[in-house]
Amino acid sequence: MSLFKFGDFETEVDFTDVDFLTDLEYAQEKLEEDVSKVPRTGKTAEIFKAQCQCYFNFFDTLFGAGTHEAMFQGRTSYKLCLEAGEKLSECENKQVENFFEKYDQYNVQQHGNRQQIRHYNKQQGKKRKQHYNR
């Protein structure tokens, strides 16, 4: 679990929790639908407002109604919306890295002949052990 905080809003998020991931995937699908409806031409202010509304809907869908009000404190700033999205993404990346660091030791070693092992290690970016003659 990680603490996600933006503006006056803070909550614990767990990117390994199935219920949270289900909500996240639904919110992302809804975000894609909303973005497809944003006008491509027109006044810049109207386009930014429509894009901000997409983010507001995303965070409200993910964390509950009214979340965007606490996060953005009544402001409609496209920059803040992008920062909030980046902050959530950073939170996810950090949590995933910690997860794989902790549980990477449980991965099953690849077995096979010498050529298969070399190919596997090359794909994984592992270097060959060097033996020195003494």
Side-chain angles (χ1 to χ4, degrees):
M1 281 187 142
S2 296
L3 181 68
F4 173 72
K5 182 176 180 176
F6 195 86
D8 290 339
F9 178 76
E10 69 179 54
T11 187
E12 290 285 329
V13 291
D14 183 3
F15 289 92
T16 61
D17 180 39
V18 175
D19 293 331
F20 180 75
L21 286 176
T22 303
D23 293 342
L24 178 63
E25 289 170 353
Y26 176 73
Q28 288 171 334
E29 289 171 5
K30 192 168 177 1
L31 178 64
E32 287 178 18
E33 288 175 20
D34 291 347
V35 167
S36 68
K37 297 174 186 173
V38 171
R40 303 280 181 225
T41 58
K43 295 181 180 181
T44 305
E46 292 299 320
I47 294 171
F48 278 178
K49 184 177 180 180
Q51 290 173 334
C52 287
Q53 191 59 49
C54 294
Y55 278 95
F56 295 165
N57 293 341
F58 171 77
F59 287 112
D60 285 349
T61 302
L62 184 59
F63 297 120
T67 300
H68 80 274
E69 294 165 1
M71 288 178 68
F72 303 107
Q73 299 156 351
R75 296 181 61 197
T76 306
S77 169
Y78 189 51
K79 179 184 174 194
L80 287 178
C81 292
L82 293 176
E83 288 174 1
E86 288 173 1
K87 182 105 173 176
L88 183 64
S89 181
E90 288 172 10
C91 187
E92 177 183 14
N93 292 338
K94 205 179 297 181
Q95 200 172 97
V96 168
E97 283 177 20
N98 290 340
F99 177 80
F100 282 118
E101 284 176 11
K102 187 172 185 176
Y103 294 105
D104 199 30
Q105 62 187 340
Y106 298 109
N107 284 342
V108 176
Q109 290 288 336
Q110 294 290 333
H111 298 286
N113 64 34
R114 184 179 302 169
Q115 183 180 9
Q116 290 169 334
I117 292 171
R118 284 182 182 156
H119 179 71
Y120 173 78
N121 287 339
K122 188 176 182 181
Q123 295 299 320
Q124 298 300 316
K126 296 181 180 178
K127 296 200 178 197
R128 213 175 77 162
K129 291 183 181 177
Q130 301 227 349
H131 299 282
Y132 298 101
N133 292 332
R134 293 182 186 200

